[in-house]
PDB file of all heavy atoms in Angstrom:
ATOM      1  N   LEU D   1      -2.543   7.852 -11.997  1.00 98.00           N
ATOM      2  CA  LEU D   1      -2.767   6.502 -11.490  1.00 98.00           C
ATOM      3  C   LEU D   1      -3.998   5.884 -12.204  1.00 98.00           C
ATOM      4  O   LEU D   1      -4.928   6.535 -12.741  1.00 98.00           O
ATOM      5  CB  LEU D   1      -3.264   6.639 -10.025  1.00 98.00           C
ATOM      6  CG  LEU D   1      -2.300   7.392  -9.073  1.00 98.00           C
ATOM      7  CD1 LEU D   1      -2.739   7.314  -7.684  1.00 98.00           C
ATOM      8  CD2 LEU D   1      -0.846   6.762  -9.222  1.00 98.00           C
ATOM      9  N   SER D   2      -4.028   4.569 -12.357  1.00 98.00           N
ATOM     10  CA  SER D   2      -5.053   3.826 -12.995  1.00 98.00           C
ATOM     11  C   SER D   2      -5.632   2.771 -12.071  1.00 98.00           C
ATOM     12  O   SER D   2      -4.822   2.252 -11.110  1.00 98.00           O
ATOM     13  CB  SER D   2      -4.532   3.087 -14.220  1.00 98.00           C
ATOM     14  OG  SER D   2      -4.097   3.973 -15.206  1.00 98.00           O
ATOM     15  N   CYS D   3      -6.920   2.447 -12.101  1.00 96.00           N
ATOM     16  CA  CYS D   3      -7.470   1.419 -11.273  1.00 96.00           C
ATOM     17  C   CYS D   3      -8.404   0.566 -12.260  1.00 96.00           C
ATOM     18  O   CYS D   3      -9.284   1.085 -12.802  1.00 96.00           O
ATOM     19  CB  CYS D   3      -8.427   2.087 -10.243  1.00 96.00           C
ATOM     20  SG  CYS D   3      -9.253   0.777  -9.243  1.00 96.00           S
ATOM     21  N   ALA D   4      -7.980  -0.726 -12.469  1.00 94.00           N
ATOM     22  CA  ALA D   4      -8.568  -1.523 -13.269  1.00 94.00           C
ATOM     23  C   ALA D   4      -9.569  -2.439 -12.557  1.00 94.00           C
ATOM     24  O   ALA D   4      -9.141  -3.038 -11.445  1.00 94.00           O
ATOM     25  CB  ALA D   4      -7.655  -2.421 -14.072  1.00 94.00           C
ATOM     26  N   ALA D   5     -10.813  -2.641 -12.915  1.00 91.00           N
ATOM     27  CA  ALA D   5     -11.828  -3.301 -12.231  1.00 91.00           C
ATOM     28  C   ALA D   5     -12.243  -4.619 -13.083  1.00 91.00           C
ATOM     29  O   ALA D   5     -12.209  -4.610 -14.328  1.00 91.00           O
ATOM     30  CB  ALA D   5     -13.047  -2.511 -11.881  1.00 91.00           C
ATOM     31  N   SER D   6     -12.558  -5.608 -12.279  1.00 89.00           N
ATOM     32  CA  SER D   6     -13.124  -6.847 -12.877  1.00 89.00           C
ATOM     33  C   SER D   6     -14.030  -7.477 -11.976  1.00 89.00           C
ATOM     34  O   SER D   6     -14.057  -7.162 -10.703  1.00 89.00           O
ATOM     35  CB  SER D   6     -11.858  -7.777 -13.243  1.00 89.00           C
ATOM     36  OG  SER D   6     -11.176  -8.181 -12.126  1.00 89.00           O
ATOM     37  N   GLY D   7     -14.729  -8.588 -12.409  1.00 78.00           N
ATOM     38  CA  GLY D   7     -15.686  -9.291 -11.489  1.00 78.00           C
ATOM     39  C   GLY D   7     -17.093  -8.903 -11.591  1.00 78.00           C
ATOM     40  O   GLY D   7     -18.015  -9.767 -11.383  1.00 78.00           O
ATOM     41  N   ARG D   8     -17.402  -7.620 -11.747  1.00 67.00           N
ATOM     42  CA  ARG D   8     -18.781  -7.111 -11.883  1.00 67.00           C
ATOM     43  C   ARG D   8     -18.794  -5.948 -12.959  1.00 67.00           C
ATOM     44  O   ARG D   8     -17.769  -5.532 -13.399  1.00 67.00           O
ATOM     45  CB  ARG D   8     -19.261  -6.443 -10.446  1.00 67.00           C
ATOM     46  CG  ARG D   8     -19.405  -7.659  -9.394  1.00 67.00           C
ATOM     47  CD  ARG D   8     -20.633  -8.576  -9.595  1.00 67.00           C
ATOM     48  NE  ARG D   8     -21.963  -7.815  -9.754  1.00 67.00           N
ATOM     49  CZ  ARG D   8     -22.657  -7.632  -8.683  1.00 67.00           C
ATOM     50  NH1 ARG D   8     -22.164  -8.137  -7.411  1.00 67.00           N
ATOM     51  NH2 ARG D   8     -23.832  -6.980  -8.779  1.00 67.00           N
ATOM     52  N   THR D   9     -19.977  -5.555 -13.147  1.00 70.00           N
ATOM     53  CA  THR D   9     -20.178  -4.521 -14.103  1.00 70.00           C
ATOM     54  C   THR D   9     -19.594  -3.164 -13.588  1.00 70.00           C
ATOM     55  O   THR D   9     -20.153  -2.610 -12.658  1.00 70.00           O
ATOM     56  CB  THR D   9     -21.646  -4.247 -14.481  1.00 70.00           C
ATOM     57  OG1 THR D   9     -22.161  -5.499 -14.949  1.00 70.00           O
ATOM     58  CG2 THR D   9     -21.815  -3.224 -15.556  1.00 70.00           C
ATOM     59  N   PHE D  10     -18.422  -2.760 -14.107  1.00 70.00           N
ATOM     60  CA  PHE D  10     -17.786  -1.622 -13.597  1.00 70.00           C
ATOM     61  C   PHE D  10     -18.708  -0.373 -13.691  1.00 70.00           C
ATOM     62  O   PHE D  10     -18.572   0.473 -12.719  1.00 70.00           O
ATOM     63  CB  PHE D  10     -16.434  -1.401 -14.311  1.00 70.00           C
ATOM     64  CG  PHE D  10     -15.738  -0.025 -14.080  1.00 70.00           C
ATOM     65  CD1 PHE D  10     -15.018   0.061 -12.891  1.00 70.00           C
ATOM     66  CD2 PHE D  10     -15.764   1.004 -14.944  1.00 70.00           C
ATOM     67  CE1 PHE D  10     -14.313   1.270 -12.647  1.00 70.00           C
ATOM     68  CE2 PHE D  10     -15.121   2.175 -14.708  1.00 70.00           C
ATOM     69  CZ  PHE D  10     -14.378   2.241 -13.578  1.00 70.00           C
ATOM     70  N   SER D  11     -19.437  -0.105 -14.614  1.00 72.00           N
ATOM     71  CA  SER D  11     -20.276   1.048 -14.889  1.00 72.00           C
ATOM     72  C   SER D  11     -21.349   1.224 -13.769  1.00 72.00           C
ATOM     73  O   SER D  11     -21.899   2.240 -13.715  1.00 72.00           O
ATOM     74  CB  SER D  11     -20.719   1.148 -16.250  1.00 72.00           C
ATOM     75  OG  SER D  11     -21.584   0.000 -16.530  1.00 72.00           O
ATOM     76  N   SER D  12     -21.606   0.210 -13.092  1.00 82.00           N
ATOM     77  CA  SER D  12     -22.683   0.239 -12.104  1.00 82.00           C
ATOM     78  C   SER D  12     -22.270   0.789 -10.782  1.00 82.00           C
ATOM     79  O   SER D  12     -23.081   0.952  -9.929  1.00 82.00           O
ATOM     80  CB  SER D  12     -23.261  -1.205 -11.759  1.00 82.00           C
ATOM     81  OG  SER D  12     -23.800  -1.810 -12.995  1.00 82.00           O
ATOM     82  N   TYR D  13     -21.017   1.115 -10.687  1.00 89.00           N
ATOM     83  CA  TYR D  13     -20.338   1.588  -9.242  1.00 89.00           C
ATOM     84  C   TYR D  13     -19.910   2.972  -9.470  1.00 89.00           C
ATOM     85  O   TYR D  13     -19.334   3.297 -10.342  1.00 89.00           O
ATOM     86  CB  TYR D  13     -19.313   0.624  -8.863  1.00 89.00           C
ATOM     87  CG  TYR D  13     -19.783  -0.804  -8.555  1.00 89.00           C
ATOM     88  CD1 TYR D  13     -19.820  -1.755  -9.437  1.00 89.00           C
ATOM     89  CD2 TYR D  13     -20.132  -1.039  -7.203  1.00 89.00           C
ATOM     90  CE1 TYR D  13     -20.298  -3.078  -9.178  1.00 89.00           C
ATOM     91  CE2 TYR D  13     -20.517  -2.279  -6.883  1.00 89.00           C
ATOM     92  CZ  TYR D  13     -20.608  -3.303  -7.799  1.00 89.00           C
ATOM     93  OH  TYR D  13     -21.007  -4.564  -7.493  1.00 89.00           O
ATOM     94  N   ALA D  14     -20.134   3.684  -8.260  1.00 93.00           N
ATOM     95  CA  ALA D  14     -19.430   4.903  -8.043  1.00 93.00           C
ATOM     96  C   ALA D  14     -17.964   4.456  -7.729  1.00 93.00           C
ATOM     97  O   ALA D  14     -17.746   3.523  -7.091  1.00 93.00           O
ATOM     98  CB  ALA D  14     -20.051   5.743  -6.957  1.00 93.00           C
ATOM     99  N   MET D  15     -17.074   5.255  -8.142  1.00 95.00           N
ATOM    100  CA  MET D  15     -15.587   5.096  -7.711  1.00 95.00           C
ATOM    101  C   MET D  15     -14.981   6.299  -7.018  1.00 95.00           C
ATOM    102  O   MET D  15     -15.496   7.292  -7.122  1.00 95.00           O
ATOM    103  CB  MET D  15     -14.869   4.858  -9.032  1.00 95.00           C
ATOM    104  CG  MET D  15     -15.279   3.631  -9.868  1.00 95.00           C
ATOM    105  SD  MET D  15     -15.094   2.070  -9.089  1.00 95.00           S
ATOM    106  CE  MET D  15     -13.378   1.947  -9.057  1.00 95.00           C
ATOM    107  N   ALA D  16     -13.964   5.895  -6.184  1.00 97.00           N
ATOM    108  CA  ALA D  16     -13.342   6.978  -5.405  1.00 97.00           C
ATOM    109  C   ALA D  16     -11.812   6.573  -5.303  1.00 97.00           C
ATOM    110  O   ALA D  16     -11.441   5.427  -5.412  1.00 97.00           O
ATOM    111  CB  ALA D  16     -13.977   7.100  -4.039  1.00 97.00           C
ATOM    112  N   TRP D  17     -11.124   7.590  -4.976  1.00 98.00           N
ATOM    113  CA  TRP D  17      -9.713   7.465  -4.546  1.00 98.00           C
ATOM    114  C   TRP D  17      -9.581   7.928  -3.153  1.00 98.00           C
ATOM    115  O   TRP D  17     -10.086   9.028  -2.751  1.00 98.00           O
ATOM    116  CB  TRP D  17      -8.780   8.137  -5.365  1.00 98.00           C
ATOM    117  CG  TRP D  17      -8.650   7.655  -6.794  1.00 98.00           C
ATOM    118  CD1 TRP D  17      -9.273   8.031  -7.960  1.00 98.00           C
ATOM    119  CD2 TRP D  17      -7.770   6.595  -7.288  1.00 98.00           C
ATOM    120  NE1 TRP D  17      -8.910   7.332  -8.994  1.00 98.00           N
ATOM    121  CE2 TRP D  17      -7.874   6.473  -8.647  1.00 98.00           C
ATOM    122  CE3 TRP D  17      -6.686   5.936  -6.561  1.00 98.00           C
ATOM    123  CZ2 TRP D  17      -7.074   5.534  -9.381  1.00 98.00           C
ATOM    124  CZ3 TRP D  17      -5.932   5.069  -7.279  1.00 98.00           C
ATOM    125  CH2 TRP D  17      -6.156   4.797  -8.603  1.00 98.00           C
ATOM    126  N   PHE D  18      -8.846   7.209  -2.332  1.00 98.00           N
ATOM    127  CA  PHE D  18      -8.515   7.537  -1.013  1.00 98.00           C
ATOM    128  C   PHE D  18      -6.986   7.402  -0.843  1.00 98.00           C
ATOM    129  O   PHE D  18      -6.373   6.797  -1.711  1.00 98.00           O
ATOM    130  CB  PHE D  18      -9.216   6.680   0.176  1.00 98.00           C
ATOM    131  CG  PHE D  18     -10.609   6.862   0.283  1.00 98.00           C
ATOM    132  CD1 PHE D  18     -11.503   6.312  -0.641  1.00 98.00           C
ATOM    133  CD2 PHE D  18     -11.053   7.624   1.414  1.00 98.00           C
ATOM    134  CE1 PHE D  18     -12.873   6.532  -0.484  1.00 98.00           C
ATOM    135  CE2 PHE D  18     -12.471   7.681   1.598  1.00 98.00           C
ATOM    136  CZ  PHE D  18     -13.373   7.248   0.597  1.00 98.00           C
ATOM    137  N   ARG D  19      -6.388   8.049   0.189  1.00 98.00           N
ATOM    138  CA  ARG D  19      -5.034   7.865   0.370  1.00 98.00           C
ATOM    139  C   ARG D  19      -4.645   7.797   1.797  1.00 98.00           C
ATOM    140  O   ARG D  19      -5.350   8.314   2.664  1.00 98.00           O
ATOM    141  CB  ARG D  19      -4.197   8.996  -0.331  1.00 98.00           C
ATOM    142  CG  ARG D  19      -4.471  10.384   0.284  1.00 98.00           C
ATOM    143  CD  ARG D  19      -3.771  11.509  -0.411  1.00 98.00           C
ATOM    144  NE  ARG D  19      -3.948  12.821   0.130  1.00 98.00           N
ATOM    145  CZ  ARG D  19      -3.501  13.924  -0.406  1.00 98.00           C
ATOM    146  NH1 ARG D  19      -2.936  13.906  -1.658  1.00 98.00           N
ATOM    147  NH2 ARG D  19      -3.667  15.211   0.165  1.00 98.00           N
ATOM    148  N   GLN D  20      -3.482   7.228   2.014  1.00 98.00           N
ATOM    149  CA  GLN D  20      -3.059   7.084   3.441  1.00 98.00           C
ATOM    150  C   GLN D  20      -1.596   7.383   3.542  1.00 98.00           C
ATOM    151  O   GLN D  20      -0.764   6.607   2.950  1.00 98.00           O
ATOM    152  CB  GLN D  20      -3.383   5.680   4.043  1.00 98.00           C
ATOM    153  CG  GLN D  20      -3.086   5.552   5.497  1.00 98.00           C
ATOM    154  CD  GLN D  20      -3.620   4.304   6.057  1.00 98.00           C
ATOM    155  OE1 GLN D  20      -3.842   3.350   5.405  1.00 98.00           O
ATOM    156  NE2 GLN D  20      -3.901   4.291   7.509  1.00 98.00           N
ATOM    157  N   ALA D  21      -1.213   8.495   4.281  1.00 97.00           N
ATOM    158  CA  ALA D  21       0.127   8.873   4.423  1.00 97.00           C
ATOM    159  C   ALA D  21       0.789   8.133   5.637  1.00 97.00           C
ATOM    160  O   ALA D  21      -0.023   7.631   6.467  1.00 97.00           O
ATOM    161  CB  ALA D  21       0.270  10.374   4.660  1.00 97.00           C
ATOM    162  N   PRO D  22       2.011   7.948   5.681  1.00 91.00           N
ATOM    163  CA  PRO D  22       2.685   7.270   6.756  1.00 91.00           C
ATOM    164  C   PRO D  22       2.214   7.875   8.107  1.00 91.00           C
ATOM    165  O   PRO D  22       2.297   9.059   8.279  1.00 91.00           O
ATOM    166  CB  PRO D  22       4.175   7.489   6.510  1.00 91.00           C
ATOM    167  CG  PRO D  22       4.291   7.665   5.089  1.00 91.00           C
ATOM    168  CD  PRO D  22       3.076   8.405   4.666  1.00 91.00           C
ATOM    169  N   GLY D  23       1.750   6.984   9.053  1.00 94.00           N
ATOM    170  CA  GLY D  23       1.440   7.458  10.362  1.00 94.00           C
ATOM    171  C   GLY D  23       0.136   8.245  10.419  1.00 94.00           C
ATOM    172  O   GLY D  23      -0.188   8.695  11.545  1.00 94.00           O
ATOM    173  N   LYS D  24      -0.681   8.234   9.385  1.00 96.00           N
ATOM    174  CA  LYS D  24      -1.891   8.931   9.406  1.00 96.00           C
ATOM    175  C   LYS D  24      -2.999   8.141   8.889  1.00 96.00           C
ATOM    176  O   LYS D  24      -2.892   6.963   8.381  1.00 96.00           O
ATOM    177  CB  LYS D  24      -1.798  10.237   8.458  1.00 96.00           C
ATOM    178  CG  LYS D  24      -0.684  11.306   8.926  1.00 96.00           C
ATOM    179  CD  LYS D  24      -0.942  12.519   8.277  1.00 96.00           C
ATOM    180  CE  LYS D  24      -0.086  13.695   8.808  1.00 96.00           C
ATOM    181  NZ  LYS D  24      -0.304  15.024   8.332  1.00 96.00           N
ATOM    182  N   GLU D  25      -4.255   8.481   9.226  1.00 97.00           N
ATOM    183  CA  GLU D  25      -5.395   7.889   8.809  1.00 97.00           C
ATOM    184  C   GLU D  25      -5.691   7.965   7.291  1.00 97.00           C
ATOM    185  O   GLU D  25      -5.323   8.953   6.674  1.00 97.00           O
ATOM    186  CB  GLU D  25      -6.671   8.310   9.637  1.00 97.00           C
ATOM    187  CG  GLU D  25      -6.578   8.080  11.168  1.00 97.00           C
ATOM    188  CD  GLU D  25      -6.431   6.581  11.565  1.00 97.00           C
ATOM    189  OE1 GLU D  25      -7.343   5.892  10.929  1.00 97.00           O
ATOM    190  OE2 GLU D  25      -5.662   6.318  12.281  1.00 97.00           O
ATOM    191  N   ARG D  26      -6.368   6.971   6.785  1.00 97.00           N
ATOM    192  CA  ARG D  26      -6.845   7.121   5.378  1.00 97.00           C
ATOM    193  C   ARG D  26      -7.858   8.310   5.267  1.00 97.00           C
ATOM    194  O   ARG D  26      -8.637   8.546   6.011  1.00 97.00           O
ATOM    195  CB  ARG D  26      -7.448   5.854   5.001  1.00 97.00           C
ATOM    196  CG  ARG D  26      -7.874   5.768   3.526  1.00 97.00           C
ATOM    197  CD  ARG D  26      -7.760   4.322   2.929  1.00 97.00           C
ATOM    198  NE  ARG D  26      -8.580   3.433   3.820  1.00 97.00           N
ATOM    199  CZ  ARG D  26      -8.346   2.113   4.039  1.00 97.00           C
ATOM    200  NH1 ARG D  26      -7.337   1.539   3.337  1.00 97.00           N
ATOM    201  NH2 ARG D  26      -9.042   1.403   4.881  1.00 97.00           N
ATOM    202  N   GLU D  27      -7.567   9.078   4.064  1.00 98.00           N
ATOM    203  CA  GLU D  27      -8.331  10.288   3.920  1.00 98.00           C
ATOM    204  C   GLU D  27      -9.064  10.168   2.481  1.00 98.00           C
ATOM    205  O   GLU D  27      -8.408   9.654   1.541  1.00 98.00           O
ATOM    206  CB  GLU D  27      -7.635  11.544   4.043  1.00 98.00           C
ATOM    207  CG  GLU D  27      -6.488  11.692   3.127  1.00 98.00           C
ATOM    208  CD  GLU D  27      -5.818  13.064   3.301  1.00 98.00           C
ATOM    209  OE1 GLU D  27      -6.330  13.912   4.054  1.00 98.00           O
ATOM    210  OE2 GLU D  27      -4.786  13.267   2.713  1.00 98.00           O
ATOM    211  N   PHE D  28     -10.132  10.870   2.332  1.00 98.00           N
ATOM    212  CA  PHE D  28     -10.739  10.973   1.048  1.00 98.00           C
ATOM    213  C   PHE D  28     -10.075  11.868   0.054  1.00 98.00           C
ATOM    214  O   PHE D  28      -9.462  12.795   0.583  1.00 98.00           O
ATOM    215  CB  PHE D  28     -12.217  11.485   1.278  1.00 98.00           C
ATOM    216  CG  PHE D  28     -12.897  11.925   0.029  1.00 98.00           C
ATOM    217  CD1 PHE D  28     -13.521  11.008  -0.811  1.00 98.00           C
ATOM    218  CD2 PHE D  28     -12.990  13.252  -0.261  1.00 98.00           C
ATOM    219  CE1 PHE D  28     -14.170  11.435  -2.009  1.00 98.00           C
ATOM    220  CE2 PHE D  28     -13.707  13.694  -1.419  1.00 98.00           C
ATOM    221  CZ  PHE D  28     -14.164  12.771  -2.249  1.00 98.00           C
ATOM    222  N   VAL D  29      -9.943  11.484  -1.156  1.00 98.00           N
ATOM    223  CA  VAL D  29      -9.314  12.329  -2.141  1.00 98.00           C
ATOM    224  C   VAL D  29     -10.435  12.886  -3.171  1.00 98.00           C
ATOM    225  O   VAL D  29     -10.479  14.020  -3.418  1.00 98.00           O
ATOM    226  CB  VAL D  29      -8.190  11.438  -2.958  1.00 98.00           C
ATOM    227  CG1 VAL D  29      -7.572  12.474  -4.012  1.00 98.00           C
ATOM    228  CG2 VAL D  29      -7.153  11.169  -1.987  1.00 98.00           C
TER     229      VAL D  29
END
C-alpha cells in the first residue's frame, strides 16, 4: 500500500496505518 501526502511538509509528521474490518471498529496497525 502507498499513501501520498500533499499540502504540508510530509517529513514533519509521524505517519500511521489503521484498518477497519466489516462490522468492527478501526484498529491500529
